[in-house]
Structure formats: C-alpha cells, structure tokens
Amino acid sequence: METLENNLNFHLPSADKALFRKHIQGELKEIRQEAAEAYASDNEIDPVPDSAYDDASDLLEILFDRHIPMPDIGWAEDGSLGFEWRPEGGIATMGIYGDKLVIYGAFFEEKRQIEGICHLSDTVMLSGFLETLVNLLK
C-alpha cells in the first residue's frame, strides 16, 4: 500500500473539528490524485471509487470523535484506502473499499491478533475495535 505521511500532527482533543475536516479533505485529495495518476499509468491497478473517499471521510470523523490519533492513510492497488497505525510491537489497520464495510485488524509479534469486518454504521462491532485501538495507541 502506498502511504502518505501526515504533514500535520494533530492533538485530537484540542483540535478544532472544522480544521480537522479541512485537513482530511486536503489529505484525501492528495491521495486521490496519487491513486488516479497510478491508475492512468498502469490500468491493471484498480481505481479507488469515489465512495471509498466518502467512507474514509466518515470513518476519520468517527476516529476524531473517539480521540484516536490520525493514521497513515494510503491507497492500494486493489482499489481500497487503508489506515495504518504502528503501536509498539505490532500494526493496526483498517481498509475501506467504498461499500460501507470496514475491514480491520491488529497484529502483534506475540502472534496475538484481532481481525474482522463490519458495516461502517455497525456501532457495536466498530466500537469494539476502536476501543481496542485506543488501548493499543496509549
């Protein structure tokens, strides 16, 4: 997955939501351009659908509201957008294809793992993983 490093380091509890929205719109615009250029040069790469950017924006708002640090965001050749965090000794990811589903996982050296798929609006399932993510990123 190609990644775009975060240029701004937000401290989520004190950040203004309007500023946050402007930041994520700019970041998603850069990723959209990068993914479109890659698709134009290699049509074996699946294009990232507009709905994936909409879902990413919605999920980022949920993360903001839960005070979860901004992930590294990138696109993948399968037409998805991915979020990634690297807590000590592991990796946590969320993938979005634009179908309102979130594919999530956390993997650690000790072979502990959490993974699943849920609907973006499934607050019970999504909240469970987000709570785990909050604990991992402390």
Side-chain angles (χ1 to χ4, degrees):
M1 174 177 14
E2 298 293 322
T3 61
L4 177 66
E5 292 295 323
N6 295 324
N7 293 329
L8 298 175
N9 205 359
F10 279 95
H11 299 287
L12 296 182
S14 63
D16 177 69
K17 196 156 191 171
L19 179 60
F20 172 76
R21 284 181 177 144
K22 183 176 181 175
H23 171 69
I24 62 171
Q25 287 172 355
E27 193 157 329
L28 291 175
K29 181 179 177 180
E30 287 181 36
I31 293 167
R32 183 187 303 257
Q33 182 176 349
E34 183 181 315
E37 288 172 4
Y39 175 69
S41 67
D42 181 356
N43 63 4
E44 290 190 23
I45 295 173
D46 291 336
V48 178
D50 290 338
S51 57
Y53 294 99
D54 295 338
D55 288 355
S57 182
D58 292 344
L59 184 54
L60 286 166
E61 291 252 354
I62 293 168
L63 296 175
F64 177 86
D65 291 340
R66 298 290 295 260
H67 306 292
I68 295 172
M70 279 290 290
D72 289 328
I73 305 170
W75 60 275
E77 293 181 1
D78 66 356
S80 68
L81 294 175
F83 298 173
E84 183 178 293
W85 298 265
R86 296 230 175 221
E88 188 172 329
I91 184 171
T93 63
M94 298 179 96
I96 300 170
Y97 287 85
D99 55 3
K100 299 287 185 198
L101 295 177
V102 179
I103 301 166
Y104 58 85
F107 308 92
F108 296 89
E109 292 175 11
E110 301 96 31
K111 301 192 189 301
R112 290 182 297 147
Q113 65 182 35
I114 302 163
E115 57 187 332
I117 300 172
C118 69
H119 198 275
L120 191 56
S121 65
D122 184 345
T123 56
V124 174
M125 289 290 291
L126 189 55
S127 290
F129 180 70
L130 296 180
E131 188 62 35
T132 299
L133 194 55
V134 166
N135 291 326
L136 293 172
L137 299 173
K138 285 183 178 179

